[in-house]
Each structure stands twice: as structure tokens, then as C-alpha cells.
Amino acid sequence: MPIDFELLHSKLEALKNNYQNLTYLDTDPICFPKQYNDPLDIEVVSLISCLYAYGNVKSIQGFLKPLFVLLGPSPYQTLRDSGNEFQSVLKELKVYRFQTKKDNQTFFQTLARVVSESKKKSPLWESKFLDNEDRFLEESSIQNFQSYWEKEIQTTLGKKTLTYGLQFLIGKSTAKSPKKRLSLFLRWMVRTSYPDFGIYQKIKPNQIPFPLDVHIQKLIRILGITTRKSFGSSDAYLIKDFFLRLKPDDPLLYDFYLTRVGIIEKCKAEYQRGVCEKCYLREVCLVVPRGIEPRLQG
């Protein structure tokens, strides 16, 4: 069935208007960088939050919330100083899913060294996504950022091998995965409107890939945007291109709001009367039975 772009746009706008509220930020890892005002703190906390943003909301918050308490009022400065406060952080780090305590210690030791060796100037890492001509390239920019962190972590490890947990945390630069966590980090850094920060100025919102987390992957199928069941890095840009037709300057506008459908409304990508009847997207959703919504009659 062809997509009714006008109707889809209106329903996405209704969804946005409902969830464009500070009370919903606690359901997303962006709630952690939102606690800071200094762009250096925001960038550092955003990177940490996005890299560890896998698993359910409870697990993510259970790991990150006490971590940022330990990092103090300025996580950037705590990392940069690498003093007693930072040493306490290293001791208190816990296991998180695929990362052992040692993996997490190695990552934060690397992060502290990188921060201390960088100029005290925002942004810290935008240039790591760009080529020699300051261009963001679809085929290589996120991969280059991952390669940069692979090298930095290997410097910390010395002759030791990069573990599975550390490789999973930063992502493998040669993998064809959708790079969803770094795509999310880019969304936070590049977009200037709610709920994002707009710290990166050289990369534009219409260049970056759509963060294809599990909720988005389900929703784009039941909205008829794609029929794919598995996704690679190129698909993240194809989905971004679809949303360019709705928002040419800001194709990632609806990402935050669409993920609330999965996280808050508990959408399972199948018809569940109690869930579907209340959903703002019910008129454009393919799993809603014909005859219940006007668009699907006939």
C-alpha cells in the first residue's frame, strides 16, 4: 500500500507534540547530558551515554546514573585531572553486560587520557568524523571515528589484545552494522532543536544516518517505510533519505518521538487492542486491522 505522506506527516507531528515534554526525557539516555550546561561536559557525557545505550532502559540507567554521580559536577574536569576523584571512579566501576570491570576501566583510562591530551575547547571530537577537507562522508566518517577509538584503546592496552567487550563498546570499524549508538551520538551533537544539543557545527542534520535501534526497526516496518528485517550501515542512510521527504533540513526530527512508541507505549509491532487504540500512529500503521481505521478500510 502506498504511503500517504501527508497523513503520515500529520500523525508524526501529533506524536511529536505529545512527547515534546521534559517529563519524558527520563525515559531516554539523553537525560544524563541534559544535566550539564558546559558543552565539554555535555559532549563527554553524551559519548559515554550513547556507547553504553544498549539493553533495556532500566539496565542502562542502573549503570550510568551512579557512574555520573561518581564523576562529579564536571565529568570533563574529573577525567582531565585524573586525580583522586577519577581513581575512585575506576575502583567503583561495575560490569555492564558485555563489558567486564577491566574493560570499563580500560575505556575510562583511555577517555581520561584523550581528554587530558586535547585542547580545552569545544567540540572535542567533531573533527574525528571529518576528512581532510572537513567533509562528513557517508561511507567512512563513523568508521573513521571508530578507528580512532580503536587505536586509542589499543595504546592503553599496549601489547594486550582488544577484548570483545571493548570492541563491542566502540563498535568495529569494518562491520557493516547500522552503527546505531554512534548515529544517536551524532543526532545529539548535530541537531539544534529539542531534545538535542547542536554542539557540532560542521556536520549538518541532513547528512547523518538515522539511529536504527530495535524500536525504530520495528516501527519503520509497520509504517510501511521498509520491508527489511535486518539492517546495515547503508540502510541507516536510506531511512534518513525517506524522512528527508518529510523534513528536508531535519530528517531525524522524529527519532526521539518514535522511540517513545516502543519504550513508553510498549508497541510490539503487532496488533494489541489496548496499545493500538491509544497510539497516535494507528491510522498509518499496517498492523491495525482494516475497518478500524479510515485509511485501512476497503
Side-chain angles (χ1 to χ4, degrees), residues 77-105:
Q77 198 60 50
T78 298
L79 290 164
R80 189 174 183 87
D81 292 343
S82 295
N84 292 334
E85 192 173 5
F86 177 67
Q87 297 307 314
S88 296
V89 173
L90 291 180
K91 290 178 182 178
E92 294 296 325
L93 282 169
K94 307 294 184 183
V95 172
Y96 183 72
R97 302 199 72 195
F98 301 139
Q99 287 78 47
T100 65
K101 178 171 182 170
K102 183 60 178 175
D103 288 337
N104 290 325
Q105 288 174 330

Side-chain angles (χ1 to χ4, degrees), residues 16-294:
K16 181 194 74 172
N17 292 338
N18 181 65
Y19 285 116
Q20 199 171 44
N21 188 308
L22 291 173
T23 60
Y24 295 113
L25 287 182
D26 285 344
T27 64
D28 193 272
I30 202 170
C31 68
F32 296 109
K34 280 290 184 183
Q35 299 173 36
Y36 305 93
N37 295 315
D38 189 322
L40 291 166
D41 285 321
I42 291 170
E43 188 174 3
V44 165
V45 171
S46 291
L47 181 64
I48 296 168
S49 299
C50 286
L51 291 182
Y52 285 97
Y54 72 98
N56 59 49
V57 173
K58 184 178 179 181
S59 296
I60 295 167
Q61 293 188 342
F63 178 77
L64 291 177
K65 189 174 182 179
L67 171 62
F68 292 126
V69 171
L70 288 169
L71 283 168
S74 175
Y76 168 83
Q77 198 60 50
T78 298
L79 290 164
R80 189 174 183 87
D81 292 343
S82 295
N84 292 334
E85 192 173 5
F86 177 67
Q87 297 307 314
S88 296
V89 173
L90 291 180
K91 290 178 182 178
E92 294 296 325
L93 282 169
K94 307 294 184 183
V95 172
Y96 183 72
R97 302 199 72 195
F98 301 139
Q99 287 78 47
T100 65
K101 178 171 182 170
K102 183 60 178 175
D103 288 337
N104 290 325
Q105 288 174 330
T106 299
F107 171 70
F108 277 92
Q109 286 169 333
T110 304
L111 182 60
R113 176 174 52 79
V114 167
V115 166
S116 65
E117 291 174 354
S118 302
K119 294 180 180 178
K120 196 173 183 180
K121 182 180 178 182
S122 176
L124 293 168
W125 299 304
E126 183 177 21
S127 64
K128 305 304 179 185
F129 287 99
L130 304 173
D131 70 359
N132 293 333
E133 298 178 19
D134 276 355
R135 296 177 300 178
F136 182 88
L137 302 177
E138 178 178 318
E139 65 274 9
S140 60
S141 287
I142 294 180
Q143 292 85 342
N144 289 343
F145 187 74
Q146 289 174 311
S147 294
Y148 163 75
W149 281 105
E150 286 173 348
K151 292 175 183 175
E152 293 294 347
I153 291 174
Q154 194 61 62
T155 298
T156 303
L157 288 170
K159 294 182 179 180
K160 295 179 182 179
T161 304
L162 191 68
T163 65
Y164 174 80
L166 285 167
Q167 187 70 82
F168 184 92
L169 185 65
I170 58 175
K172 197 170 185 178
S173 59
T174 56
K176 299 299 182 182
S177 66
K179 317 286 186 186
K180 58 187 177 184
R181 286 174 289 144
L182 288 178
S183 298
L184 182 64
F185 174 69
L186 279 171
R187 195 206 86 195
W188 293 3
M189 293 297 99
V190 172
R191 291 188 68 251
T192 56
S193 59
Y194 182 90
D196 303 314
F197 302 104
I199 290 173
Y200 292 176
Q201 300 296 313
K202 294 180 180 179
I203 306 171
K204 305 305 178 186
N206 60 9
Q207 294 178 299
I208 59 179
F210 211 97
L212 297 181
D213 77 350
V214 292
H215 302 291
I216 294 296
Q217 289 181 26
K218 290 177 182 178
L219 284 162
I220 58 178
R221 286 197 296 269
I222 65 175
L223 292 176
I225 295 170
T226 184
T227 57
R228 292 188 63 85
K229 294 184 178 180
S230 60
F231 298 87
S233 55
S234 60
D235 296 299
Y237 288 96
L238 290 174
I239 299 304
K240 179 263 295 186
D241 289 342
F242 173 87
F243 283 97
L244 274 173
R245 299 169 67 179
L246 298 176
K247 290 289 180 180
D249 296 324
D250 192 11
L252 272 63
L253 167 65
Y254 300 118
D255 177 50
F256 174 79
Y257 310 106
L258 282 168
T259 53
R260 299 316 96 190
V261 177
I263 294 170
I264 297 175
E265 298 180 26
K266 307 299 182 184
C267 173
K268 302 297 184 185
E270 60 185 28
Y271 182 66
Q272 296 180 322
R273 183 174 179 179
V275 174
C276 296
E277 286 182 345
K278 299 175 183 177
C279 183
Y280 283 87
L281 302 176
R282 61 188 180 274
E283 290 184 50
V284 289
C285 179
L286 299 180
V287 301
V288 177
R290 292 176 181 271
I292 290 180
E293 294 301 341

